[in-house]
Amino acid sequence: MAIFLVIWAACYKEEWDREQQICAVKWGTLGLEDAEPDRPQFVGDEKEKRRISPITNQKETYFPPEKRAQRQRFGLCVVFVFIVLLLGCVSFIFFMENLLAEVSWGSTVCSLMQSILIQVMSAIYAVVSTTLNDYENYRTETQYEDNLILKKFLFEMFNNYSAIVFTAFLKNNIMSHGCSSGNSDFVIGGGNCLADMKELLMSIFATRFLLAGATVVVPLISDTLEWISDHC
């Protein structure tokens, strides 16, 4: 089975590379990145905003790669600080849950806090990551999008899964009260945290569902109130 999976993965990659090239030729995007124009937001260096390109021998907007590398290192430090801050908040909520272990509603409230934390940190970091990406001053839209995706992926990986991973693999061994007993159907032999996982996942999905619904309902209510005010 393992040999089959290795062969399948290698063949799939080769076939996908061929399909990618065929689609690029069909859609007229082959070599698009090489001829991609500068972003309107791309600015040149203060000392040398434009220079003669060694490739085209034409004047082009220039920003030194070493300056961008410095800004990228600064951006990575900011991302690391946000990840540490996030893990600190997640740990604090689990600490509060441990203190409220004797209270019937303690686990539910802390699960809601974890789900709200995910949404709040995601919203804050979306602004921060975009600001950092703008500061790094990428020349093309492709470079800009690739680096923005990388920044968001690094943080969102921890933001969306740190509480889940802690609950699934560490909570029962680290926290003094372990996992909440919950429903006996979910705690098999009292040695796992499936009831806690169920409660946390339900809180996360419910919070996201409510926020998604709010983005639809709130504009409808606002438009309705505006229409009523205009016709009354």
Side-chain angles (χ1 to χ4, degrees):
M1 187 64 180
I3 296 175
F4 168 77
L5 288 175
V6 171
I7 295 174
W8 171 82
C11 293
Y12 184 85
K13 181 183 180 303
E14 291 299 323
E15 288 299 321
W16 175 248
D17 288 341
R18 292 178 185 176
E19 184 67 22
Q20 190 176 20
Q21 294 298 319
I22 292 172
C23 291
V25 172
K26 186 185 299 183
W27 298 339
T29 58
L30 186 65
L32 176 65
E33 294 184 20
D34 297 332
E36 192 172 359
D38 294 353
R39 296 171 58 241
Q41 298 86 354
F42 176 62
V43 295
D45 186 30
E46 295 179 355
K47 297 181 179 179
E48 187 182 9
K49 291 189 176 183
R50 295 183 67 82
R51 71 165 190 176
I52 300 297
S53 171
I55 300 174
T56 63
N57 201 34
Q58 301 292 324
K59 280 192 174 183
E60 64 176 6
T61 306
Y62 175 72
F63 190 79
E66 56 272 13
K67 280 194 175 183
R68 182 176 294 112
Q70 291 177 356
R71 296 185 178 189
Q72 287 174 330
R73 287 192 290 270
F74 172 76
L76 286 176
C77 290
V78 174
V79 174
F80 177 75
V81 169
F82 264 81
I83 291 174
V84 172
L85 177 63
L86 167 72
L87 295 178
C89 293
V90 171
S91 301
F92 176 75
I93 294 175
F94 278 116
F95 173 74
M96 293 297 298
E97 182 178 350
N98 198 48
L99 293 179
L100 298 173
E102 303 299 331
V103 183
S104 59
W105 45 264
S107 178
T108 302
V109 170
C110 290
S111 294
L112 287 173
M113 291 174 63
Q114 294 284 14
S115 60
I116 293 172
L117 176 66
I118 291 173
Q119 303 304 319
V120 171
M121 292 299 290
S122 183
I124 294 174
Y125 185 75
V127 177
V128 173
S129 60
T130 303
T131 303
L132 288 174
N133 226 45
D134 292 338
Y135 175 65
E136 290 168 10
N137 192 30
Y138 292 100
R139 185 179 68 84
T140 65
E141 194 66 35
T142 300
Q143 294 172 347
Y144 182 88
E145 294 293 338
D146 289 346
N147 284 275
L148 183 60
I149 290 170
L150 177 61
K151 288 183 181 66
K152 288 191 173 182
F153 174 78
L154 288 175
F155 179 78
E156 294 294 349
M157 177 176 60
F158 287 92
N159 187 37
N160 288 283
Y161 298 109
S162 56
I164 296 175
V165 170
F166 184 89
T167 301
F169 301 107
L170 302 174
K171 185 176 180 179
N172 201 37
N173 299 320
I174 293 179
M175 295 177 63
S176 59
H177 287 278
C179 298
S180 60
S181 56
N183 191 325
S184 60
D185 294 337
F186 293 95
V187 180
I188 304 172
N192 60 50
C193 296
L194 290 180
D196 299 65
M197 281 288 294
K198 176 189 175 185
E199 188 174 62
L200 177 60
L201 288 172
M202 287 180 64
S203 299
I204 292 173
F205 286 126
T207 303
R208 288 183 174 175
F209 177 78
L210 290 174
L211 289 175
T215 59
V216 176
V217 174
V218 172
L220 287 176
I221 295 175
S222 178
D223 292 342
T224 303
L225 293 175
E226 185 178 348
W227 183 87
I228 293 174
S229 63
D230 292 339
H231 292 78
C232 293

